[in-house]
Amino acid sequence: MGSKLNLHIIFLLFFTLYVVQAQDFDVTKYGGAAGADITQALLNAWKDACAATGTAQVIIPKGTYTLNEVKFLGPCKGEIIFRVEGLVQAPPDPAAIKSDAWVVFETITGLTVFGGGTFDGQGQKAWTVNDCSMHFDTCRILPTNVRFNFITNGFIHDITSLNSKMFNLFLLGGNNVTFQHITVTAPANSLNTDGIHIGRSTGVKILDTTIGTGDDCVSVGDGTKDLTVSKVTCGPGHGISIGSLGKYDNEGPVAGVHVSDCTLTNTDNGVRIKTWPNSKPGSASDISFTGITMNNVSNPIILDQNYCPHAICDKQPSRVKVSGVKFDNIKGTSATQQCVILSCSPAVPCENVEIGEINLVYNGPLGPGNSTCLNVKPTFTGHQVPPVCTPPQA
Ligand SMILES: *[C@@H]1O[C@H](CO)[C@@H](O)[C@H](O)[C@H]1NC(C)=O
Ligand SMILES: *[C@@H]1O[C@H](CO)[C@@H](O)[C@H](O)[C@H]1NC(C)=O
Ligand SMILES: *[C@@H]1O[C@H](CO)[C@@H](O)[C@H](O)[C@H]1NC(C)=O
């Protein structure tokens, strides 16, 4: 009886594997060739893959290709596997891309992108014309390398994003999407090249990933719920950041962001929550940073409700409520004397902030490390170096 059942199960397994085998749509079968522009070939392969029943696999084999702005638009009939083994290069001229991203995956349920390949944004020229650091309200937003809009059940893994013109990977309106074994590389002086940005998404994981850029490693926008960031290595760049929040009307709450077992090296910030002064109302809650190693990080722990990067901010306080935040087991070296900054809003003071084990050492010439606390009364467990909110501040 037992062995008969096992045979049945084995048979069923083989049968299932056979049936779910993906149908392949290889770009080289659509006229795409290494060394050439594959835009049209890839769009044709996509069209057939998206219309196919069952699982369809689009393949870009090993080789170097050029690709113009493309949008892979669903919904598709079946699940999509997008297998990138090659090195795909964007046009270097930012004017060649008219929309906000070079490669877009949109409205797809069941999307896997993998294959060990690279999306090379060739951003070197774009960075020299990026005026968003000077004319931040009127600047032209340069294209993101790869955007994922409204993806449900996504698995993006073993992919590299290189030298994006602006943000590298951008997830908007995602539901149940995992990023794993992602590599993002851009130089420290490249402007606004955030590694992975998550906005208005639910159930997202970023795991086992290495990000070096000129801006945030992972940035979390409004409306993000249930995000896990684990075993991510950051640097150079600006660290792991929630926000900035409160700039726009009707921003969704950020709730449930858990960052653990990450290492940051030579970044401008460590773990950060930032909200604008004179902001719209909003909220950020149920957030934890645990098991974080800092190597020569400036502002290793920073909760900044008076975020003002361009030095012309309103004096009115932020109205984004920050609550339920835990910092625990955070250790390493700080490049700035202020190792911990908890600067909450006088209009909506932070609530339920929990400080656990902290061991941050500043080795510079200014004296021992210190901390700042405003409009927050944390609870403490474990031991803190430097002392946090002692003596009690505002
Ligand atoms: C989440 O997405 C993954 C990857 O596509 C899928 O395997 C899994 O079944 C999904 N989970 C749920 C609850 O739908
Ligand atoms: C530490 O960080 C500071 C500030 O970013 C930088 O100037 C310095 O070169 C770094 N030191 C090392 C040893 O990397
Ligand atoms: C803490 O560090 C800041 C930044 O270096 C410095 O301005 C301030 O005087 C320090 N506070 C104390 C109490 O040492």
Side-chain angles (χ1 to χ4, degrees), residues 153-155 176:
N153 301 344
F155 188 22
N176 179 32

Side-chain angles (χ1 to χ4, degrees), residues 79 110-112 152-155 175-178:
E79 296 203 359
L111 172 70
T112 301
T152 298
N153 301 344
F155 188 22
N175 191 347
N176 179 32
V177 178
T178 297

Side-chain angles (χ1 to χ4, degrees), residues 139-150:
C139 68
R140 176 170 173 235
I141 302 293
L142 293 165
T144 290
N145 246 11
V146 187
R147 241 187 114 113
F148 299 93
N149 296 332
F150 313 107

Side-chain angles (χ1 to χ4, degrees), residues 255-273:
V257 177
H258 301 289
V259 179
S260 62
D261 305 311
C262 294
T263 300
L264 296 92
T265 302
N266 291 330
T267 51
D268 282 5
N269 299 280
V271 290
R272 175 161 63 154
I273 301 172

Side-chain angles (χ1 to χ4, degrees), residues 123-134:
Q124 291 83 349
K125 183 177 172 197
W127 303 328
T128 68
V129 300
N130 180 324
D131 60 354
C132 286
S133 51
M134 272 134 73

Side-chain angles (χ1 to χ4, degrees), residues 46-324:
W46 170 260
K47 199 166 158 241
D48 287 356
C50 189
T53 45
T55 301
Q57 175 167 247
V58 176
I59 304 173
I60 303 176
K62 285 202 167 69
T64 301
Y65 309 86
T66 57
L67 178 68
N68 273 309
E69 176 176 2
V70 281
K71 184 182 265 190
F72 304 115
L73 184 62
C76 297
K77 235 177 178 166
E79 296 203 359
I80 297 285
I81 300 173
F82 206 96
R83 179 181 189 132
V84 184
E85 296 173 352
L87 168 66
V88 185
Q89 297 182 309
D93 182 1
I97 296 169
K98 306 289 177 229
S99 71
D100 62 1
W102 167 39
V103 176
V104 181
F105 294 91
E106 190 164 299
T107 328
I108 302 162
T109 297
L111 172 70
T112 301
V113 179
F114 83 120
T118 297
F119 292 94
D120 179 0
Q122 303 214 87
Q124 291 83 349
K125 183 177 172 197
W127 303 328
T128 68
V129 300
N130 180 324
D131 60 354
C132 286
S133 51
M134 272 134 73
H135 310 283
F136 51 94
D137 276 337
T138 55
C139 68
R140 176 170 173 235
I141 302 293
L142 293 165
T144 290
N145 246 11
V146 187
R147 241 187 114 113
F148 299 93
N149 296 332
F150 313 107
I151 302 299
T152 298
N153 301 344
F155 188 22
I156 324 298
H157 67 100
D158 299 282
I159 283 291
T160 295
S161 173
L162 179 66
N163 293 337
S164 181
K165 293 178 172 62
M166 206 149 158
F167 285 32
N168 277 276
L169 305 180
F170 195 121
L171 177 75
L172 186 79
N175 191 347
N176 179 32
V177 178
T178 297
F179 294 87
Q180 189 170 28
H181 299 138
I182 302 292
T183 304
V184 176
T185 306
N189 63 358
S190 60
L191 294 170
N192 308 114
T193 51
D194 291 43
I196 303 180
H197 178 86
I198 308 295
R200 293 178 210 154
S201 297
T202 302
V204 178
K205 293 186 171 71
I206 303 174
L207 312 171
D208 311 303
T209 280
T210 302
I211 298 175
T213 70
D215 209 304
D216 291 338
C217 175
V218 172
S219 57
V220 180
D222 79 283
T224 299
K225 290 185 187 146
D226 185 17
L227 168 66
T228 299
V229 177
S230 186
K231 300 196 175 131
V232 173
T233 299
C234 303
H238 298 178
I240 296 174
S241 195
I242 297 173
S244 44
L245 300 175
K247 189 169 190 175
Y248 303 102
D249 281 315
N250 306 316
E251 288 187 4
V254 171
V257 177
H258 301 289
V259 179
S260 62
D261 305 311
C262 294
T263 300
L264 296 92
T265 302
N266 291 330
T267 51
D268 282 5
N269 299 280
V271 290
R272 175 161 63 154
I273 301 172
K274 54 182 176 178
T275 77
W276 293 91
N278 193 24
S279 73
K280 314 291 179 195
S283 75
S285 63
D286 184 19
I287 294 166
S288 66
F289 301 99
T290 58
I292 314 287
T293 301
M294 307 282 181
N295 297 315
N296 190 41
V297 166
S298 303
N299 312 315
I301 296 177
I302 173 164
L303 199 172
D304 181 7
Q305 294 216 258
N306 203 14
Y307 177 66
C308 184
H310 310 294
I312 44 161
C313 287
D314 215 291
K315 294 277 181 284
Q316 297 302 310
S318 175
R319 288 188 290 157
V320 177
K321 178 81 182 176
V322 177
S323 62

